Amino acid sequence: IQVGDARIFPDSSRVRIRKGAAMDSLKNAVIVANYITKYHTFKEAQIKISSRKYYEGTAKYPYYDRDSNLTILPMNSIKFINLTTTAQGEVKEKDRFKLSKEFDYYGKVQIAASNPMLFFDGATRINHSCQKFDKNWMSFTAPIDPKNIQIPVSSKMKDLAGESISAGIVWRNSSITDSIKLYPTFLSKLVQKDDPILITASGVLQYNEQAKEFQISSKEKLVNRSEKGNFLALHTQSCSMIGEGIVDLGMNYGDVKIDAVGIVNYNQSSGETSLNLTARIDMAMDKGLMEGIATRLNTVEGLKEMDFKKTTLEQAMVEWTDQKTADKLVSDYTLKGEIKKIPSELESAFVLSGLRLVSFDKPSMQEKGIISSTKTAVLVNMFDKPVMKYVPISTFFQQIYSESGGDKFGLFLQIPGGNSYYFDYSLDKKDGEMRIISDDADFNTAATLMKEEKRKTRNFKFEVSTQQIYLSKFLRLFE
């Protein structure tokens, strides 16, 4: 019987029509809708046909997942309305329904005959055995293809109670110093809703069977990893997690801006987070002073040239500019062995690449944060002066409880066989201060002779310091 866009097959092919063309309700019927595309088939339908353009009732929907496992979903309502057959049902949490073996689900289910996908409005939870990743329900509303499950993920995920959940690496924001550390999440509730997120990703969530990973990114980047944007993956066998893209250090430096792009790895066995970054540190330092350091470095022989394959500079250029600009930078350096003009997006006080860092939360130390794990990094440039070489650089970015004031960082640069420069920065409320400790007499003299207004902006100032205690405290972290 054709009603609207559906073809209805009565049980035993028998129909009873009474006086006034009143048709008896059908029991155990099969509905195919729509009859052209045949996207959906409903079974055990209990329906009443009122006319050639209207029917309504209940039915059961056979749901086949990616592995062809069958689950029967009850449709509490099915009818032809607004020119299409529409069915609605609801799955309870106690039903333990799975979109696939990787994704639990409960909530509403809606089917429109004109759409091959099913529309879900509820919550999902991922299935894995990784002990250090809490598993929480994430609310979402979206059409889903049972054979290729991709669930929308926003940068501000919520559970059904409206509580914040996250996917990525997060700082524990705590007044207890020993509690300040990085912790992993993947559809997991934040310990505190204001915990700063180091790296995350948004777009869609899927499970990659071949890679054995839950993955989050844009649909384009999931197909081509070189695309712009962030990527996050939880490996279900090793329980390691990797993030790629824009990294927010999760620290407040006031007028000093640090943009970072790179790769972040979490190791469940060690509990350690490691980073390979390109960092653009933008602050109101004197251009001449900084370019003078770069000039001295360029006269040093034997410094190792930058290797694009071992850094994330190209990745950063894609994020900060576009693929064309990134390709030109790589091409110029690879073919000509030098960069004559620094792209405007890199014209900051420092640009570092190949910056290898690791989480630092030793119980014996008051300082918590992320620290250099190697003795060198690439100094890409200082303002307009390119360097593009590995130089001895150590850094420490200190995380401090948000209500205790701003965060701190230290950066120690050494010219092989020459001078050294230690940059110690701290933020007090809104005012940032950079102390520079150097054994470069010319640098010290030039900085000291500068007028105060040239060493100070509204909420930032720098000065040469002779207080070696700052450097001593920094070097103690590496012992």
Short mmCIF file of all heavy atoms in Angstrom, two decimals, residues 122-126 134-140 152-168 170 183 185-193 195 197 200-201 205 216:
data_model
loop_
_atom_site.label_atom_id
_atom_site.label_comp_id
_atom_site.label_asym_id
_atom_site.label_seq_id
_atom_site.Cartn_x
_atom_site.Cartn_y
_atom_site.Cartn_z
N GLY A 122 21.32 13.55 21.99
CA GLY A 122 21.52 12.90 23.28
C GLY A 122 22.96 13.02 23.73
O GLY A 122 23.54 14.11 23.67
N ALA A 123 23.54 11.90 24.14
CA ALA A 123 24.91 11.92 24.67
C ALA A 123 25.65 10.65 24.27
O ALA A 123 25.05 9.57 24.17
CB ALA A 123 24.90 12.06 26.19
N THR A 124 26.94 10.80 24.05
CA THR A 124 27.79 9.65 23.73
C THR A 124 28.92 9.54 24.73
O THR A 124 29.33 10.53 25.35
CB THR A 124 28.36 9.76 22.29
OG1 THR A 124 29.00 8.52 21.94
CG2 THR A 124 29.38 10.88 22.18
N ARG A 125 29.43 8.34 24.85
CA ARG A 125 30.60 8.07 25.70
C ARG A 125 31.47 7.06 24.97
O ARG A 125 30.96 6.09 24.40
CB ARG A 125 30.15 7.49 27.05
CG ARG A 125 31.29 7.18 28.02
CD ARG A 125 30.73 6.69 29.36
NE ARG A 125 29.98 5.44 29.20
CZ ARG A 125 29.27 4.86 30.18
NH1 ARG A 125 29.21 5.43 31.37
NH2 ARG A 125 28.62 3.73 29.94
N ILE A 126 32.80 7.33 24.96
CA ILE A 126 33.69 6.44 24.21
C ILE A 126 34.11 5.26 25.07
O ILE A 126 34.17 5.35 26.30
CB ILE A 126 34.93 7.20 23.69
CG1 ILE A 126 35.72 7.83 24.84
CG2 ILE A 126 34.52 8.26 22.68
CD1 ILE A 126 37.00 8.53 24.40
N ASP A 134 39.44 9.75 32.30
CA ASP A 134 38.06 9.60 32.75
C ASP A 134 37.12 9.59 31.54
O ASP A 134 37.35 10.29 30.56
CB ASP A 134 37.67 10.75 33.68
CG ASP A 134 38.40 10.68 35.02
OD1 ASP A 134 38.88 9.58 35.36
OD2 ASP A 134 38.50 11.72 35.69
N LYS A 135 36.05 8.79 31.66
CA LYS A 135 35.08 8.69 30.58
C LYS A 135 33.77 9.33 31.02
O LYS A 135 33.17 8.88 31.99
CB LYS A 135 34.87 7.23 30.18
CG LYS A 135 36.10 6.58 29.57
CD LYS A 135 35.82 5.18 29.05
CE LYS A 135 35.64 4.18 30.16
NZ LYS A 135 35.51 2.80 29.64
N ASN A 136 33.36 10.36 30.30
CA ASN A 136 32.12 11.05 30.61
C ASN A 136 31.22 11.10 29.38
O ASN A 136 31.68 10.94 28.25
CB ASN A 136 32.41 12.48 31.10
CG ASN A 136 33.12 12.51 32.44
OD1 ASN A 136 34.34 12.41 32.51
ND2 ASN A 136 32.36 12.63 33.51
N TRP A 137 29.94 11.33 29.63
CA TRP A 137 28.99 11.49 28.54
C TRP A 137 29.11 12.89 27.96
O TRP A 137 29.19 13.87 28.70
CB TRP A 137 27.56 11.28 29.04
CG TRP A 137 27.27 9.87 29.46
CD1 TRP A 137 27.29 9.36 30.73
CD2 TRP A 137 26.88 8.79 28.60
NE1 TRP A 137 26.96 8.03 30.72
CE2 TRP A 137 26.69 7.64 29.42
CE3 TRP A 137 26.69 8.67 27.22
CZ2 TRP A 137 26.31 6.41 28.90
CZ3 TRP A 137 26.30 7.44 26.71
CH2 TRP A 137 26.12 6.33 27.53
N MET A 138 29.13 12.98 26.63
CA MET A 138 29.17 14.27 25.94
C MET A 138 27.88 14.46 25.17
O MET A 138 27.48 13.59 24.39
CB MET A 138 30.35 14.35 24.98
CG MET A 138 30.43 15.68 24.23
SD MET A 138 31.61 15.66 22.84
CE MET A 138 30.71 14.69 21.63
N SER A 139 27.21 15.57 25.38
CA SER A 139 25.96 15.83 24.66
C SER A 139 26.27 16.30 23.24
O SER A 139 27.27 16.98 22.99
CB SER A 139 25.14 16.89 25.39
OG SER A 139 25.84 18.11 25.46
N PHE A 140 25.41 15.92 22.31
CA PHE A 140 25.56 16.38 20.92
C PHE A 140 24.22 16.24 20.21
O PHE A 140 23.32 15.52 20.65
CB PHE A 140 26.64 15.59 20.18
CG PHE A 140 26.22 14.20 19.76
CD1 PHE A 140 25.72 13.95 18.49
CD2 PHE A 140 26.31 13.14 20.65
CE1 PHE A 140 25.33 12.66 18.10
CE2 PHE A 140 25.95 11.86 20.28
CZ PHE A 140 25.45 11.61 19.00
N PRO A 152 29.97 15.49 16.05
CA PRO A 152 30.48 16.86 16.17
C PRO A 152 31.03 17.15 17.56
O PRO A 152 30.43 16.77 18.57
CB PRO A 152 29.26 17.73 15.85
CG PRO A 152 28.09 16.85 16.13
CD PRO A 152 28.53 15.46 15.80
N VAL A 153 32.17 17.83 17.60
CA VAL A 153 32.83 18.19 18.85
C VAL A 153 33.15 19.68 18.81
O VAL A 153 33.80 20.14 17.87
CB VAL A 153 34.12 17.37 19.06
CG1 VAL A 153 34.87 17.87 20.28
CG2 VAL A 153 33.82 15.90 19.19
N SER A 154 32.70 20.42 19.80
CA SER A 154 33.00 21.85 19.85
C SER A 154 34.16 22.10 20.81
O SER A 154 34.59 21.20 21.53
CB SER A 154 31.77 22.63 20.32
OG SER A 154 31.55 22.43 21.70
N SER A 155 34.65 23.32 20.81
CA SER A 155 35.75 23.66 21.72
C SER A 155 35.26 23.80 23.15
O SER A 155 36.07 23.83 24.09
CB SER A 155 36.41 24.97 21.27
OG SER A 155 35.45 26.02 21.23
N LYS A 156 33.94 23.88 23.35
CA LYS A 156 33.36 23.98 24.68
C LYS A 156 32.35 22.87 24.87
O LYS A 156 31.14 23.07 24.81
CB LYS A 156 32.72 25.36 24.88
CG LYS A 156 33.72 26.51 24.82
CD LYS A 156 33.05 27.85 25.07
CE LYS A 156 34.08 28.98 25.02
NZ LYS A 156 33.45 30.31 25.25
N MET A 157 32.87 21.67 25.08
CA MET A 157 32.02 20.49 25.23
C MET A 157 31.31 20.49 26.58
O MET A 157 31.85 20.97 27.57
CB MET A 157 32.85 19.22 25.08
CG MET A 157 33.41 18.99 23.70
SD MET A 157 34.43 17.51 23.62
CE MET A 157 35.98 18.17 24.18
N LYS A 158 30.10 19.93 26.59
CA LYS A 158 29.32 19.82 27.82
C LYS A 158 28.74 18.41 27.93
O LYS A 158 28.52 17.73 26.93
CB LYS A 158 28.16 20.83 27.81
CG LYS A 158 28.55 22.28 27.60
CD LYS A 158 29.20 22.87 28.83
CE LYS A 158 29.47 24.37 28.64
NZ LYS A 158 30.11 24.97 29.82
N ASP A 159 28.50 17.99 29.19
CA ASP A 159 27.71 16.78 29.36
C ASP A 159 26.25 17.20 29.44
O ASP A 159 25.90 18.38 29.33
CB ASP A 159 28.16 16.00 30.60
CG ASP A 159 28.01 16.79 31.90
OD1 ASP A 159 27.29 17.81 31.90
OD2 ASP A 159 28.62 16.37 32.91
N LEU A 160 25.34 16.24 29.63
CA LEU A 160 23.92 16.57 29.61
C LEU A 160 23.50 17.44 30.79
O LEU A 160 22.45 18.07 30.78
CB LEU A 160 23.09 15.29 29.58
CG LEU A 160 23.10 14.55 28.23
CD1 LEU A 160 22.24 13.31 28.29
CD2 LEU A 160 22.63 15.45 27.10
N ALA A 161 24.34 17.47 31.83
CA ALA A 161 24.06 18.32 32.99
C ALA A 161 24.62 19.73 32.81
O ALA A 161 24.48 20.58 33.68
CB ALA A 161 24.62 17.69 34.25
N GLY A 162 25.27 19.97 31.66
CA GLY A 162 25.85 21.28 31.39
C GLY A 162 27.23 21.50 31.95
O GLY A 162 27.77 22.60 31.89
N GLU A 163 27.83 20.44 32.52
CA GLU A 163 29.18 20.54 33.07
C GLU A 163 30.22 20.49 31.94
O GLU A 163 30.04 19.80 30.94
CB GLU A 163 29.44 19.40 34.05
CG GLU A 163 28.53 19.41 35.28
CD GLU A 163 28.86 20.54 36.23
OE1 GLU A 163 30.03 21.00 36.23
OE2 GLU A 163 27.97 20.98 36.97
N SER A 164 31.32 21.23 32.13
CA SER A 164 32.37 21.29 31.10
C SER A 164 33.16 19.99 31.04
O SER A 164 33.56 19.45 32.07
CB SER A 164 33.33 22.45 31.39
OG SER A 164 32.66 23.69 31.31
N ILE A 165 33.36 19.50 29.84
CA ILE A 165 34.27 18.37 29.61
C ILE A 165 35.26 18.79 28.53
O ILE A 165 35.08 19.80 27.85
CB ILE A 165 33.52 17.08 29.21
CG1 ILE A 165 32.67 17.31 27.95
CG2 ILE A 165 32.65 16.58 30.35
CD1 ILE A 165 32.00 16.05 27.45
N SER A 166 36.29 17.99 28.37
CA SER A 166 37.39 18.42 27.51
C SER A 166 38.02 17.23 26.80
O SER A 166 37.86 16.08 27.22
CB SER A 166 38.45 19.13 28.36
OG SER A 166 39.66 19.30 27.65
N ALA A 167 38.73 17.53 25.73
CA ALA A 167 39.61 16.57 25.07
C ALA A 167 40.92 17.29 24.81
O ALA A 167 40.95 18.29 24.12
CB ALA A 167 39.00 16.05 23.77
N GLY A 168 42.01 16.80 25.41
CA GLY A 168 43.30 17.44 25.24
C GLY A 168 44.13 17.36 26.50
O GLY A 168 43.88 16.54 27.39
N VAL A 170 45.47 19.45 29.84
CA VAL A 170 44.91 20.52 30.65
C VAL A 170 45.80 20.77 31.86
O VAL A 170 46.37 19.83 32.44
CB VAL A 170 43.48 20.16 31.12
CG1 VAL A 170 42.87 21.31 31.92
CG2 VAL A 170 42.60 19.78 29.94
N TYR A 183 47.27 17.28 33.08
CA TYR A 183 46.55 16.01 33.09
C TYR A 183 45.82 15.82 31.76
O TYR A 183 45.44 16.78 31.10
CB TYR A 183 45.60 15.92 34.29
CG TYR A 183 44.44 16.87 34.31
CD1 TYR A 183 43.20 16.53 33.78
CD2 TYR A 183 44.55 18.13 34.91
CE1 TYR A 183 42.11 17.38 33.83
CE2 TYR A 183 43.46 19.00 34.98
CZ TYR A 183 42.24 18.63 34.43
OH TYR A 183 41.16 19.48 34.49
N THR A 185 42.83 14.53 29.08
CA THR A 185 41.38 14.35 28.98
C THR A 185 41.03 13.89 27.58
O THR A 185 41.74 14.20 26.61
CB THR A 185 40.63 15.66 29.26
OG1 THR A 185 41.00 16.65 28.28
CG2 THR A 185 40.94 16.21 30.65
N PHE A 186 39.97 13.13 27.48
CA PHE A 186 39.41 12.79 26.17
C PHE A 186 37.94 12.48 26.39
O PHE A 186 37.57 11.39 26.78
CB PHE A 186 40.13 11.59 25.53
CG PHE A 186 40.11 11.63 24.03
CD1 PHE A 186 41.19 12.11 23.31
CD2 PHE A 186 38.98 11.22 23.33
CE1 PHE A 186 41.15 12.18 21.92
CE2 PHE A 186 38.93 11.28 21.95
CZ PHE A 186 40.02 11.75 21.24
N LEU A 187 37.13 13.50 26.20
CA LEU A 187 35.72 13.48 26.61
C LEU A 187 35.66 13.20 28.10
O LEU A 187 34.94 12.31 28.58
CB LEU A 187 34.90 12.47 25.82
CG LEU A 187 34.28 12.97 24.50
CD1 LEU A 187 35.36 13.41 23.52
CD2 LEU A 187 33.37 11.94 23.89
N SER A 188 36.43 13.97 28.85
CA SER A 188 36.55 13.80 30.30
C SER A 188 36.18 15.10 30.98
O SER A 188 36.45 16.19 30.46
CB SER A 188 37.99 13.41 30.68
OG SER A 188 38.48 12.37 29.87
N LYS A 189 35.62 14.99 32.16
CA LYS A 189 35.24 16.16 32.92
C LYS A 189 36.48 16.87 33.45
O LYS A 189 37.42 16.24 33.90
CB LYS A 189 34.34 15.76 34.10
CG LYS A 189 33.75 16.93 34.85
CD LYS A 189 32.79 16.45 35.94
CE LYS A 189 32.22 17.61 36.73
NZ LYS A 189 31.28 17.15 37.78
N LEU A 190 36.48 18.21 33.36
CA LEU A 190 37.57 19.00 33.92
C LEU A 190 37.53 18.91 35.44
O LEU A 190 36.45 18.88 36.05
CB LEU A 190 37.45 20.45 33.49
CG LEU A 190 37.64 20.76 31.99
CD1 LEU A 190 37.23 22.19 31.69
CD2 LEU A 190 39.07 20.52 31.58
N VAL A 191 38.72 18.88 36.06
CA VAL A 191 38.77 18.88 37.52
C VAL A 191 38.14 20.16 38.04
O VAL A 191 37.32 20.15 38.97
CB VAL A 191 40.22 18.74 38.02
CG1 VAL A 191 40.27 18.81 39.54
CG2 VAL A 191 40.82 17.41 37.54
N GLN A 192 38.52 21.30 37.46
CA GLN A 192 37.89 22.58 37.74
C GLN A 192 37.52 23.22 36.41
O GLN A 192 38.28 23.12 35.44
CB GLN A 192 38.85 23.51 38.51
CG GLN A 192 39.24 23.02 39.89
CD GLN A 192 38.10 23.12 40.90
OE1 GLN A 192 37.14 23.85 40.68
NE2 GLN A 192 38.21 22.38 41.99
N LYS A 193 36.37 23.87 36.37
CA LYS A 193 35.90 24.40 35.09
C LYS A 193 36.81 25.46 34.50
O LYS A 193 36.79 25.70 33.29
CB LYS A 193 34.49 24.97 35.25
CG LYS A 193 34.38 26.16 36.17
CD LYS A 193 32.95 26.65 36.25
CE LYS A 193 32.81 27.88 37.16
NZ LYS A 193 31.42 28.36 37.22
N ASP A 195 40.18 25.30 34.63
CA ASP A 195 41.50 24.74 34.34
C ASP A 195 41.93 25.13 32.92
O ASP A 195 41.18 24.86 31.96
CB ASP A 195 41.50 23.22 34.48
CG ASP A 195 41.51 22.76 35.93
OD1 ASP A 195 41.70 23.61 36.82
OD2 ASP A 195 41.35 21.54 36.18
N ILE A 197 43.44 25.02 29.26
CA ILE A 197 43.66 23.92 28.32
C ILE A 197 44.88 24.23 27.46
O ILE A 197 44.94 25.27 26.78
CB ILE A 197 42.42 23.71 27.45
CG1 ILE A 197 41.23 23.29 28.34
CG2 ILE A 197 42.68 22.65 26.38
CD1 ILE A 197 39.91 23.20 27.61
N THR A 200 43.82 21.39 22.47
CA THR A 200 42.58 20.68 22.26
C THR A 200 42.30 20.66 20.76
O THR A 200 43.13 21.13 19.96
CB THR A 200 41.42 21.34 23.03
OG1 THR A 200 40.26 20.51 22.92
CG2 THR A 200 41.11 22.73 22.50
N ALA A 201 41.18 20.12 20.36
CA ALA A 201 40.79 20.10 18.95
C ALA A 201 39.27 20.07 18.89
O ALA A 201 38.60 19.67 19.84
CB ALA A 201 41.38 18.88 18.23
N LEU A 205 34.48 13.87 15.95
CA LEU A 205 35.12 12.75 16.65
C LEU A 205 34.83 11.48 15.88
O LEU A 205 33.68 11.20 15.54
CB LEU A 205 34.58 12.66 18.07
CG LEU A 205 34.82 11.36 18.85
CD1 LEU A 205 36.30 11.18 19.17
CD2 LEU A 205 33.99 11.34 20.13
N ILE A 216 40.03 13.48 16.78
CA ILE A 216 39.21 14.69 16.71
C ILE A 216 39.91 15.70 15.82
O ILE A 216 41.08 16.03 16.04
CB ILE A 216 38.98 15.32 18.09
CG1 ILE A 216 38.23 14.36 19.02
CG2 ILE A 216 38.19 16.63 17.96
CD1 ILE A 216 38.09 14.88 20.45
#
